[in-house]
Amino acid sequence: MSKIFSPLLVTALLSTPVIAAPKPVKPKPPVLSCKIATPEGLSYTVIKAGKGERPGADAKVKVNYKGMLTADGSEFDSGQNADFKVGGVIPGFAQGLQLMQPGGSYRLCIPSKLGYGETGTGPIPANADLVFEVDLLSFTTPPPKPVVPLAERACSNTTGSGLGYLAIKQGNGKKPSETDMALVDFTTFDGKTGVSLEKREWEKIPLSQATAVFVEALKMMQVGSSYTFCLPKPKEGDAAASAEPEINIRVDLLDVRPAPVLD
């Protein structure tokens, strides 16, 4: 038996409008401009303000970020919960991070001179301006470096070779010779500010393998003594050497032992 459709049902079916599929929504193009300019050439926009302290150049930050080329908005890098040191990124990014507070979101517009400059890198072409969108989640700041007291920084005496020295504490033990190994604690520090650069403890130094300057310094000391040594200054007219920071060394001579015999 064939099915019979009523005229009303047929009319309803024929008159039902055809619903067109929704057109795909195109994503909005990224915003590639910033509102506030800094004297250094960086510009930025505060998308969301944060709260609290701002990271310094020596801080380690945790961020979400996305990097784009200003020329076409193409994304070249991104990261979630990324950790890195502020001082370890391109200058424009580092400057921008130091403007932010935890919980904040910024857009950073970085000119090529504060980015990768004339060389570029990877997907970033030469002379490319960049835009970063950054969320600063948190940061940590390392404790301040120890500072050598002012009275122990400068050298009041100088040897014929130009080595400066200051006897902070005199010992009464043995002096090392060429065949000995000196056991020392030493700290290198900025001669002007006194900020410690590197510290080594119980370091074993065979005099036969040390530099001539260090050998001269150690031979002046007795076990139990502490000296500050100022390395000979560069010759006048040596512009490259003169630009180097003044680095002094604080040495504590702990013990002197015969150096091991090498095969």
Side-chain angles (χ1 to χ4, degrees), residues 155-159 161-166 217 220 228-232:
C155 298
S156 55
N157 303 285
T158 306
T159 69
S161 68
L163 175 65
Y165 65 96
L166 171 69
M220 297 169 58
T228 290
F229 294 102
C230 305
L231 302 182

Side-chain angles (χ1 to χ4, degrees), residues 107-166:
R107 182 180 304 115
L108 307 176
C109 297
I110 302 174
S112 63
K113 67 178 182 179
L114 299 177
Y116 293 95
E118 298 179 353
T119 57
T121 182
I124 302 173
N127 300 310
D129 297 335
L130 311 174
V131 174
F132 282 91
E133 292 188 348
V134 187
D135 304 326
L136 178 59
L137 306 178
S138 62
F139 72 90
T140 56
T141 301
K145 293 183 178 180
V147 175
V148 174
L150 181 60
E152 299 179 6
R153 296 179 199 170
C155 298
S156 55
N157 303 285
T158 306
T159 69
S161 68
L163 175 65
Y165 65 96
L166 171 69

Side-chain angles (χ1 to χ4, degrees), residues 49-205:
K51 295 181 180 180
E53 299 293 327
R54 292 177 170 84
D58 58 345
K60 184 177 182 180
V61 297
K62 183 184 290 290
V63 301
N64 298 333
Y65 72 94
K66 178 173 67 173
M68 297 164 284
L69 298 177
T70 305
D72 58 10
S74 60
E75 183 177 321
F76 61 82
D77 192 16
S78 64
Q80 297 288 314
N81 296 310
D83 291 303
F84 49 79
K85 292 182 178 179
V86 172
V89 297
I90 56 175
F93 203 174
Q95 290 176 18
L97 288 169
Q98 293 177 78
L99 298 171
M100 301 181 69
Q101 297 165 286
S105 299
Y106 277 41
R107 182 180 304 115
L108 307 176
C109 297
I110 302 174
S112 63
K113 67 178 182 179
L114 299 177
Y116 293 95
E118 298 179 353
T119 57
T121 182
I124 302 173
N127 300 310
D129 297 335
L130 311 174
V131 174
F132 282 91
E133 292 188 348
V134 187
D135 304 326
L136 178 59
L137 306 178
S138 62
F139 72 90
T140 56
T141 301
K145 293 183 178 180
V147 175
V148 174
L150 181 60
E152 299 179 6
R153 296 179 199 170
C155 298
S156 55
N157 303 285
T158 306
T159 69
S161 68
L163 175 65
Y165 65 96
L166 171 69
I168 300 168
K169 175 187 174 184
Q170 291 287 8
N172 54 12
K174 180 183 177 182
K175 283 188 174 184
S177 67
E178 294 282 355
T179 59
D180 287 326
M181 177 175 68
L183 303 180
V184 301
D185 290 345
F186 75 84
T187 301
T188 58
F189 63 93
D190 187 307
K192 294 181 178 179
T193 65
V195 174
S196 298
L197 305 175
E198 182 184 16
K199 184 175 182 178
R200 299 281 189 90
E201 295 182 339
W202 205 245
E203 193 78 6
K204 301 176 181 179
I205 303 178

Side-chain angles (χ1 to χ4, degrees), residues 14 16 28 33 39 44 48 88 153-154 183 195 212 224 235-236 239-240 245:
L14 293 176
T16 301
K28 293 182 178 180
S33 61
Y44 65 95
K48 176 187 174 185
R153 296 179 199 170
L183 303 180
V195 174
K235 297 179 181 179
E236 292 185 10

